[in-house]
Amino acid sequence: MVFSSHLFIFYFLPLALGAYYLVPRQLRHLVLTLFSYLFYGWSNPAFMLLMLVSTAIDYFCGLIIVSPTPWRPASLVPLAPGPRGPRQKLALWTSICANLGLLAFFKYGNFGIDAYNDLMVGLGFDSAVWDHFWRITLPLGISFYTFQSMSYSIDIYRGEATPLRNPVDFACYVAMFPQLVAGPIIRYHEVARQMRERSHTLERFARGVAFFALGMAKKVLLANPCGKIADTVFDAGARGLLDSWYGAFAYGFQIYFDFSGYSDMAVGLGLMLGFVFPKNFDSPYHSRSITEFWQRWHLSLSFFLRDYLYIPLGGNRKGQARTYANLAIVMLLGGLWHGASWNFVVWGGIHGGVLALERALAPRRWLERLPAALRVALTFTITTIAWVFFRAADLPAALDFLGAMFAIKATDPRADLLAGLLYQPYYLLAFALAAAVIWGCRDSWHFTRVLTPLRAACCLALLLLALAALTTQSYNPFIYFIF
Amino acid sequence: MHHREQAALEDIQTTRISRATAWTLVLGFLGLICVVPLVQVALDLRRGQRPVAAETTALVQNGLPKPAQLRDFETRLENRDFLREHLLGPSQALLLRLGAGNERCWVGRDGWLFYRDAVEYLGGPSFLDPVRMRARAQSQGLATDSVAAITAFRDQLAARKIELLVVPIPVKAALYPDRLSGRFADKARPLVHPDLAIWRERLAAEGVRVFDPLPVLAALRDHKPAYLRTDTHWSPAAVEALAAALGPQLGQARQPIAWGQAEAQVENLGDLAQMLRLPAGQRSVQAERVALRQVLAPDGSPFKPDPNAEILVLGDSFCNIYSMAALGWGEHAGLAEQLALVFGGAVDRLAINDGGAHSGREALARELASGHDRLAGKRLVIWAFAERELSLGDWRAVTLPDVAPPLAVTELAARTLEARIVAAASAPRPGSVPYPDGIIALVVASGTGERLLTYTWGLRDHQATEAASWRPGDSLALELVPWREQQAALGGFQRSELADAATLSLPAYWIKRATRIQTGESPAPSQAEKPVPVPAKVQSTASPLFAAAVAALPEREGCAAVLGKNGWCYFLPELQHLASGRYWAEAAPASHPGLAAEVADPRAAILDFKRQLDDRGIQLLLVPVPAKATIYPEHLPFTAKPGQMDGAFIAQLRRDGVEVVDLEGLFQAHRDKADLYLHTDTHWSPAGIDLTAQALAAKIGSLLPGRPATELKSTEHTIELSGDLACAVDGAKEQVVVTRVVVGGGKRAKPLAPDRDSPVLLMGDSHTLVFHAGEDLFATGAGLPDQLALRLGYAVDLLGVRGSGATTVRLDLMRRGDQCQGKKVVVWVFTVRELTQSAQGWARVSL
């Protein structure tokens, strides 16, 4: 189920909110869990079982880490600092292996088959190709909830959080529908306190509505039309220089409004249910360097990778060479987290490389001497070029696209068809509006901090407009659903 | 607490909003998300529909629902959405102004519209790249190797000594890139997908003949439109040009035919304009008018595909346009017709809208599997399909089976049965296909376990039908007619078939009527939800309960009327007719005890009359007027429902080759819009006449195209009448509005007189005279002959009798002594009660 669907907005959400607020307080997590499983199972009911298994493993691992008798834990308190015993290590690695195993099997199984097939074809053993091999269906949101679930065991192991005694509470944390399938990744220690106690106020609910409205408007009114531009250019067999840049920028706009819109909706829904989720986007296209970009883009993933991968690898504490290597590893794995494809590896590699370069150039400070606007433009251009790998169907397609962007490819007369499709007032207007919102407006957190009657009316009007557009559109993909 | 959580909490806690604003925001939001579903449920209930939302419990009735069931539920929820209903048109109009189309249609320059898939094919990536082909095959579950599929088809035809000629029809944007993009304004050359030449070379290497229509169409484009502005398809001129260019490929006709031609004009809004779903009355996209050159047989009748022809045109909607009336661009002027004209001989056509890569081959395989050798006598198959299929089509392998032995006669008969759905093809989602109508296939199992392949509408006029929601496990009461009988009329519509090739060998039927009597997933729907009100259980024999109820009716001296509910009166002999069992063929003498055996069988008399007309080259249209109690059983004074014997008789006549106009189905579909019968009379009402005239005019128009029309005028009058059954209600009167048809204006206006020289003869019982002949028949100038003339644009000849429409009217025709000279069509109207209640019986009358 997606937030920007008729079913979610007009049926699921009223029922979920109604049930949540009507049942006694102690049953709210149960209600939320049931609705979350319904939300998740809507795409394929069989996947509910998978999530249940993942949840059960991590729940028991959490208990085993803190108590030698998990079936009868005496007291649940955070572990004191110090070395951990074999039982605790075994429980932690069971949790990590189970989650990464699920992720590897479902997300990278097909990648393995395809890589094997390509190798066989490359070697001339066409008959050895696994053409009829079982194709694995990727369960929605598995990258998000396995990471989230894994963070629970790690945080408990590190003594940063207390395990939950009630399995329903834990299932609720893992499955919570506002952020289940496309994040933000809510690490356990970030909401541990709220799982036990949180407040429900009118103001909080109202701000949640404002967040939700802005997120919906970003998604439906900006991301979707920009997505149409991007799809048309990326799916074309031939494209010229101008069209290629237009399409690449449009994709940059689309992915930002799509993902940050979803995150806004998730934050809004969380607030309606009393939860406060941390910020996931902080005007990333205002960044003046790639280093800054990663302090503003998909923050929940950035911090997850920093805390659970970069720092355990040694971070910047083990010398310059090791720091560069750590950055490259983190970004490559971050790329692979998005999907099993060489394109994501290259995308991660570009970001990792530029991060390392910026770190290397930092002492000379010559980048900082450039005008801010130029640095923003440069950073945006680099991210846009990297997005080409993120969006293209495969590596050859990405290189072909870059060839058109830099005019190093012969022009096909069919490329001129795109002009008739893309330079229509509707698309140009949406593109210009997207750019104006990105560089001319503050982010949703800032806009909703002071909700004057005018701003509230603006939110409701945007919501109405978005819903009107939603009912008449069938083009409604969420990019991060496939990750 | 961690920094990010702390920062977020602090940010939220510092929210500044007044309580009034907060309440407004929250209540506005909650009101919006709650009111919409509540209004939807209320609207559904008001319309007599079961709310889709109420089906949620049914989803989990049999354990965990399947993803497809959930998608289907969500789709139906969205399709029923009243917001969508009201907002779609205006928002689409706004988008059109801004130069955007929708998911199906691109908006070009100067009012030109383009099919999105076609443009994406033309400007898209390689369709011969093995990596892309494999990716598409895996992600969409399709076969993508067009060369292999075409070569295999050629081989199968070659084994039958038949040649194949492949004609990929270019997409509109290939000929008119300048209408799509301003960058082509000064470039005259058409655009071609670079893989097309390689594809042709590969086929040539396999020895497959390919004809490239692009040069022909490009040459035409310079002086005439080659494509329609608002439609996916080509223009009539393009069809004619291609047919002319193909001429040298066709060879000599074994049996030459001197085809004639007639000019016609048709105005329509193309399929692309309709895909935009613009609001009614919009002016942004204008209809376009085209001139057709219709092809006529030497006797003046329109071209018909000949299954025994030497040439078969196989294809998709490019072969149906200008041939299939449902596409809105007229008839008798399509590719097969123009090829026949050029060829000078008969041509057969098997074309199905959409799926040109496979649907034509599959239809051909199905014909062979069902015992119909569509390839008999063929020497050339011309396979014309939209070129975009090379990139988007499903090129699955289709094996042409050996011709199966003809199915047993019992399997070919019309039948009624209760059956359970075993498999159902998915109906296309409205708006996802370029065509307004689509047929879906269902495999059903009868109580005895017999499996049948059935077809029904899944999409009508861009709307999903009730049948589109049927699922395996649902039980249906079905009235079936053999698919073969419907194939000529329905075979060209887009069809969603089942993937299982084994279904091809099942006996195929068209679902004439169906009622869902039990669903495997949810409780039976309310009566109001069903598309056509039909008896709850269709019976294959006369209803004994009904017969008993009729027998128990008291007879009143001097009054044969039976008073029903709400002032409705029924004619007792008509009810007695409905209570009778089988009344034709070997059962005829027993069912007409007062008559000699040689005049007892209506079927024999009708077939004899048809044979005589056939010999004179005259088309017979038989119009049995359904009984009032069949259409309006709810007003009967008892609850028993009549049987379906008339339906079985009509089905038999159709199998005998008689063209029967199905008024029963038509009346059932419109019975709630107006009373189609008079309450106090045996005859139909002006509304019933109007419907009948519409149906007949459409039929006659297709049989006699291109006739000059006179402008006739009509005026409405309210009249009061007391019918021939009013004795049951003490002479009570009723008011009806009649439409008088006149010729001339002002004081000179007068009813249109029947025309003895008209090519159309309307003959029959008093149903042809009521509201026409005046006096006891209530009015003049407003009966069936008048309404028919109004729609045809010319007067018809009339031979109506107040007595029997069975034999007397044919005797009168014989007495005319002109042997129907000059007639092209004879329309024979009589009430169904004549089939068993005629005093004179059904004598054979020689013209």
Side-chain angles (χ1 to χ4, degrees):
Chain A
M1 202 181 296
V2 294
F3 293 163
S4 55
S5 72
H6 186 81
L7 179 71
F8 178 83
I9 293 169
F10 295 121
Y11 293 90
F12 181 89
L13 188 56
L15 288 174
L17 287 175
Y20 180 82
Y21 280 102
L22 287 176
V23 298
R25 190 174 284 264
Q26 59 271 27
L27 291 180
R28 281 181 175 170
H29 282 174
L30 178 64
V31 166
L32 198 49
T33 307
L34 292 175
F35 272 95
S36 297
Y37 268 78
L38 173 64
F39 178 87
Y40 186 64
W42 195 260
S43 66
N44 187 338
F47 292 158
M48 290 194 297
L49 194 64
L50 192 70
M51 190 163 70
L52 194 63
V53 169
S54 166
T55 304
I57 291 171
D58 290 308
Y59 172 72
F60 286 112
C61 287
L63 289 182
I64 291 168
I65 289 170
V66 294
S67 168
T69 53
W71 54 91
R72 196 162 39 82
S75 62
L76 296 178
V77 289
L79 289 177
R84 306 289 184 233
R87 168 181 54 84
Q88 291 161 316
K89 286 181 178 167
L90 180 68
L92 175 70
W93 282 106
T94 302
S95 167
I96 291 173
C97 291
N99 284 299
L100 292 182
L102 279 177
L103 201 57
F105 177 75
F106 283 101
K107 199 152 183 172
Y108 305 105
N110 292 337
F111 183 53
I113 296 167
D114 292 339
Y116 166 81
N117 285 344
D118 290 343
L119 183 67
M120 289 299 110
V121 172
L123 294 173
F125 301 125
D126 286 29
S127 57
V129 164
W130 291 343
D131 243 356
H132 301 291
F133 199 86
W134 180 45
R135 304 298 296 185
I136 300 159
T137 307
L138 179 70
L140 282 186
I142 192 166
S143 307
F144 290 94
Y145 75 74
T146 49
F147 266 39
Q148 221 170 263
S149 199
M150 202 160 60
S151 77
Y152 172 77
S153 313
I154 298 173
D155 287 351
I156 290 171
Y157 183 87
R158 288 176 170 178
E160 292 177 355
T162 312
L164 287 162
R165 185 189 295 270
N166 187 342
V168 172
D169 290 345
F170 180 63
C172 179
Y173 157 68
V174 174
M176 206 184 303
F177 74 83
Q179 40 70 249
L180 174 62
V181 289
I185 301 165
I186 306 296
R187 285 182 289 165
Y188 178 64
H189 66 244
E190 290 175 340
V191 289
R193 206 170 57 87
Q194 298 181 55
M195 290 303 295
R196 296 191 174 84
E197 185 188 3
R198 62 185 177 276
S199 62
H200 301 82
T201 64
L202 177 67
E203 289 74 18
R204 191 173 277 205
F205 198 106
R207 192 159 176 197
V209 170
F211 263 112
F212 187 82
L214 292 178
M216 179 70 79
K218 279 181 176 181
K219 163 67 186 158
V220 178
L221 302 178
L222 295 174
N224 284 358
C226 287
K228 281 190 182 179
I229 299 171
D231 285 357
T232 305
V233 180
F234 274 90
D235 294 345
R239 56 192 83 76
L241 185 143
L242 178 66
D243 305 334
S244 307
W245 282 101
Y246 182 33
F249 286 142
Y251 183 67
F253 294 167
Q254 180 199 6
I255 195 167
Y256 169 63
F257 284 118
D258 188 277
F259 196 13
S260 75
Y262 192 94
S263 294
D264 284 348
M265 285 191 269
V267 169
L269 290 168
L271 287 172
M272 290 180 210
L273 299 167
F275 289 98
V276 178
F277 298 149
K279 193 186 258 194
N280 206 26
F281 286 88
D282 187 11
S283 304
Y285 290 148
H286 290 208
S287 305
R288 282 169 288 187
S289 67
I290 292 296
T291 308
E292 188 185 350
F293 177 80
W294 281 103
Q295 287 158 3
R296 290 168 174 266
W297 177 272
H298 200 174
L299 294 171
S300 60
L301 178 67
S302 303
F303 282 89
F304 190 99
L305 294 175
R306 186 196 68 182
D307 293 348
Y308 297 116
L309 189 61
Y310 181 70
I311 292 174
L313 283 172
N316 58 1
R317 301 185 307 274
K318 297 190 176 178
Q320 215 166 26
R322 183 66 183 270
T323 302
Y324 296 150
N326 288 344
L327 280 174
I329 290 169
V330 167
M331 291 317 295
L332 285 173
L333 289 177
L336 267 179
W337 174 86
H338 285 88
S341 143
W342 294 114
N343 282 31
F344 291 121
V345 175
V346 174
W347 175 78
I350 292 173
H351 278 278
V354 179
L355 280 175
L357 187 69
E358 283 179 355
R359 182 171 278 273
L361 294 177
R364 300 183 191 179
R365 309 178 71 88
W366 64 266
L367 264 179
E368 288 173 22
R369 285 186 218 121
L370 294 174
L374 188 61
R375 291 171 64 193
V376 168
L378 190 63
T379 305
F380 180 65
T381 306
I382 293 169
T383 55
T384 300
I385 291 169
W387 285 139
V388 170
F389 289 92
F390 206 88
R391 169 61 181 80
D394 49 34
L395 215 46
L399 295 174
D400 182 68
F401 198 96
L402 286 174
M405 283 174 83
F406 293 100
I408 50 175
K409 194 170 166 279
T411 312
D412 181 330
R414 296 179 303 144
D416 288 340
L417 276 177
L418 286 177
L421 309 178
L422 298 176
Y423 301 103
Q424 302 282 8
Y426 171 71
Y427 294 116
L428 291 171
L429 199 65
F431 186 85
L433 195 59
V437 171
I438 285 174
W439 286 295
C441 299
R442 303 292 294 269
D443 67 16
S444 309
W445 285 79
H446 187 271
F447 185 84
T448 56
R449 199 168 293 143
V450 181
L451 279 169
T452 60
L454 182 64
R455 285 188 179 187
C458 187
C459 288
L460 278 181
L462 281 173
L463 181 65
L464 275 172
L465 199 58
L467 291 179
L470 183 70
T471 55
T472 58
Q473 287 178 2
S474 54
Y475 180 92
N476 211 20
F478 263 117
I479 294 174
Y480 265 70
F481 261 40
I482 58 169
F483 298 142
Chain B
M1 191 184 294
H2 281 256
H3 169 71
R4 292 181 64 227
E5 185 195 6
Q6 183 63 40
L9 271 174
E10 282 171 7
D11 196 309
I12 296 302
Q13 278 161 2
T14 56
T15 306
R16 281 170 52 199
I17 182 170
S18 68
R19 287 198 66 82
T21 308
W23 273 117
T24 308
L25 202 52
V26 171
L27 292 180
F29 175 73
L30 292 178
L32 183 66
I33 63 172
C34 295
V35 163
V36 169
L38 291 176
V39 170
Q40 185 66 56
V41 169
L43 278 175
D44 286 345
L45 293 173
R46 204 172 127 196
R47 291 170 181 164
Q49 295 172 319
R50 186 173 50 151
V52 178
E55 294 172 18
T56 43
T57 51
L59 285 173
V60 290
Q61 209 165 315
N62 299 319
L64 278 183
K66 293 185 175 62
Q69 284 175 283
L70 298 172
R71 292 298 81 68
D72 176 64
F73 171 81
E74 195 170 348
T75 303
R76 278 187 289 139
L77 202 63
E78 286 172 5
N79 288 344
R80 190 80 76 79
D81 178 23
F82 76 95
L83 282 178
R84 183 186 173 87
E85 205 174 293
H86 289 92
L87 294 176
L88 187 61
S91 69
Q92 206 51 73
L94 178 67
L95 286 175
L96 186 68
R97 279 182 176 278
L98 292 172
N102 59 15
E103 283 74 20
R104 314 300 300 165
C105 176
W106 283 111
V107 178
R109 307 165 75 213
D110 308 325
W112 280 66
L113 302 175
F114 292 86
Y115 188 40
R116 200 169 185 125
D117 285 354
V119 177
E120 285 175 359
Y121 149 73
L122 183 65
S126 163
F127 58 82
L128 293 174
D129 173 16
V131 176
R132 286 187 192 283
M133 286 168 73
R134 199 169 66 206
R136 195 164 78 86
Q138 282 173 352
S139 63
Q140 298 175 30
L142 305 174
T144 53
D145 192 343
S146 55
V147 174
I150 293 170
T151 308
F153 185 54
R154 187 278 316 271
D155 292 344
Q156 295 181 68
L157 292 177
R160 290 168 165 84
K161 300 193 182 339
I162 300 169
E163 270 195 279
L164 174 67
L165 179 62
V166 176
V167 185
I169 300 164
V171 299
K172 183 157 82 173
L175 271 299
Y176 290 97
D178 53 321
R179 302 292 185 177
L180 186 57
S181 165
R183 291 185 191 166
F184 291 95
D186 54 348
K187 299 174 193 170
R189 286 177 54 191
L191 273 184
V192 182
H193 194 293
D195 277 9
L196 194 64
I198 305 167
W199 176 80
R200 276 202 301 266
E201 281 169 19
R202 288 189 187 173
L203 283 178
E206 296 287 345
V208 178
R209 287 167 62 198
V210 181
F211 183 87
D212 181 9
L214 193 67
V216 178
L217 301 181
L220 175 76
R221 186 191 64 165
D222 296 336
H223 56 277
K224 277 183 180 177
Y227 277 77
L228 297 166
R229 185 171 40 82
T230 63
D231 200 281
T232 326
H233 300 96
W234 47 14
S235 66
V239 178
E240 291 165 23
L242 178 65
L246 282 170
Q249 315 267 344
L250 306 179
Q252 289 289 318
R254 282 198 290 262
Q255 290 181 319
I257 300 174
W259 297 104
Q261 293 176 54
E263 299 290 332
Q265 296 231 326
V266 61
E267 189 176 86
N268 190 31
L269 200 59
D271 58 2
L272 292 167
Q274 289 175 32
M275 274 183 238
L276 284 174
R277 316 290 288 269
L278 295 168
Q282 61 83 28
R283 292 183 180 176
S284 312
V285 184
Q286 300 288 328
E288 55 190 319
R289 178 181 282 265
V290 293
L292 302 182
R293 206 159 54 135
Q294 295 180 316
V295 177
L296 307 177
D299 64 356
S301 64
F303 168 91
K304 275 185 184 169
D306 182 353
N308 300 313
E310 299 167 61
I311 297 173
L312 169 64
V313 175
L314 192 71
D316 55 17
S317 56
F318 276 88
C319 302
N320 272 332
I321 192 165
Y322 312 118
S323 295
M324 183 191 244
L327 289 178
W329 293 102
E331 294 178 274
H332 318 308
L335 182 60
E337 286 87 341
Q338 303 305 335
L339 282 172
L341 190 67
V342 172
F343 176 52
V347 170
D348 192 12
R349 177 182 58 231
L350 190 53
I352 294 180
N353 296 337
D354 209 15
H358 61 88
S359 55
R361 286 182 295 141
E362 284 181 338
L364 187 57
R366 188 169 293 107
E367 291 263 308
L368 300 175
S370 65
H372 187 204
D373 190 358
R374 198 68 181 256
L375 291 174
K378 300 282 181 296
R379 61 174 174 78
L380 176 64
V381 171
I382 298 173
W383 184 10
F385 53 81
E387 196 183 289
R388 63 173 189 268
E389 290 287 308
L390 296 175
S391 176
L392 307 168
D394 184 358
W395 293 94
R396 53 196 180 220
V398 174
T399 303
L400 297 180
D402 292 333
V403 181
L407 297 171
V409 172
T410 51
E411 289 177 313
L412 289 175
R415 53 196 300 182
T416 57
L417 74 161
E418 286 184 12
R420 187 175 50 80
I421 297 176
V422 176
S426 296
R429 183 178 174 173
S432 68
V433 289
Y435 309 103
D437 307 303
I439 289 171
I440 54 172
L442 308 164
V443 171
V444 299
S446 68
T448 60
E450 181 193 16
R451 292 194 170 207
L452 308 171
L453 174 62
T454 61
Y455 294 103
T456 189
W457 294 114
L459 189 69
R460 288 294 268 168
D461 196 20
H462 295 289
Q463 300 294 321
T465 65
E466 173 66 15
S469 68
W470 293 344
R471 293 290 170 268
D474 288 356
S475 290
L476 306 171
L478 296 169
E479 188 176 340
L480 305 174
V481 291
W483 171 247
R484 174 93 52 87
E485 289 176 7
Q486 304 297 319
Q487 184 139 24
L490 302 172
F493 284 93
Q494 180 197 36
R495 236 170 31 228
S496 302
E497 296 281 4
L498 291 155
D500 184 1
T503 58
L504 294 179
S505 57
L506 296 175
Y509 290 87
W510 172 251
I511 298 178
K512 185 180 173 190
R513 212 172 299 166
T515 313
R516 183 156 65 171
I517 52 178
Q518 187 193 345
T519 166
E521 296 156 6
S522 57
S526 65
Q527 185 70 23
E529 192 180 0
K530 295 161 193 165
V532 178
V534 292
K537 186 179 176 185
V538 181
Q539 300 185 13
S540 59
T541 60
S543 162
L545 285 178
F546 185 85
V550 172
L553 288 171
E555 287 195 33
R556 294 161 63 179
E557 196 174 338
C559 180
V562 174
L563 178 59
K565 298 169 193 163
N566 308 318
W568 283 66
C569 303
Y570 295 87
F571 191 36
L572 185 57
E574 192 166 275
L575 300 181
Q576 287 164 343
H577 162 72
L578 293 176
S580 61
R582 186 179 158 96
Y583 49 77
W584 64 95
E586 73 286 348
S591 64
H592 301 78
L595 296 174
E598 60 269 22
V599 296
D601 186 359
R603 178 184 171 216
I606 291 168
L607 292 182
D608 174 67
F609 186 58
K610 177 185 178 328
R611 182 187 50 76
Q612 295 185 59
L613 293 180
D614 284 348
D615 290 347
R616 290 165 173 78
I618 301 169
Q619 171 74 51
L620 170 66
L621 294 180
L622 198 71
V623 189
V625 181
K628 190 193 289 187
T630 302
I631 307 300
Y632 295 103
E634 69 273 26
H635 301 302
L636 283 166
F638 45 78
T639 54
K641 301 287 187 290
Q644 295 290 312
M645 200 52 66
D646 291 337
F649 177 64
I650 288 168
Q652 177 60 56
L653 288 178
R654 286 191 169 140
R655 285 194 297 281
D656 293 331
V658 180
E659 182 84 38
V660 184
V661 178
D662 178 21
L663 285 191
E664 188 179 326
L666 188 69
F667 280 17
Q668 292 283 18
H670 291 81
R671 46 159 268 158
D672 296 329
K673 294 174 188 163
D675 288 341
L676 304 176
Y677 292 83
L678 296 170
H679 290 203
T680 63
D681 197 88
T682 48
H683 298 98
W684 47 21
S685 68
I689 292 173
D690 189 51
L691 265 183
T692 308
Q694 281 180 38
L696 283 172
K699 195 80 204 166
I700 294 167
S702 69
L703 293 168
L704 302 175
R707 281 194 57 80
T710 308
E711 191 181 343
L712 299 171
K713 292 176 181 164
S714 63
T715 53
E716 290 195 341
H717 303 269
T718 301
I719 62 168
E720 196 172 60
L721 60 89
S722 183
D724 54 12
L725 301 175
C727 57
V729 285
D730 300 326
K733 296 194 169 181
E734 59 183 309
Q735 277 192 345
V736 291
V737 178
V738 297
T739 305
R740 282 192 81 205
V741 179
V742 292
V743 60
K747 291 180 180 175
R748 290 184 182 173
K750 57 178 182 181
L752 184 69
D755 177 7
R756 183 74 184 256
D757 295 328
S758 174
V760 180
L761 168 63
L762 175 66
M763 59 179 259
D765 62 13
S766 51
H767 282 85
T768 62
L769 299 175
V770 68
F771 299 113
H772 170 80
E775 300 172 357
D776 57 329
L777 292 172
F778 317 128
T780 57
L784 181 59
D786 312 289
Q787 303 304 331
L788 196 50
L790 180 66
R791 281 158 185 80
L792 290 173
Y794 53 87
V796 299
D797 188 8
L798 176 65
L799 189 57
V801 296
R802 279 180 159 80
S804 168
T807 299
T808 312
V809 72
R810 281 177 294 132
L811 287 170
D812 284 355
L813 183 61
M814 179 196 73
R815 288 184 193 113
R816 275 186 168 187
D818 60 4
Q819 301 201 9
C820 294
Q821 203 163 11
K823 297 291 176 260
K824 296 286 184 195
V825 178
V826 168
V827 182
W828 184 7
V829 180
F830 56 83
T831 166
V832 290
R833 76 168 182 275
E834 293 267 340
L835 295 167
T836 58
Q837 305 292 312
S838 170
Q840 295 95 343
W842 290 82
R844 296 183 189 207
V845 177
S846 171
L847 291 178

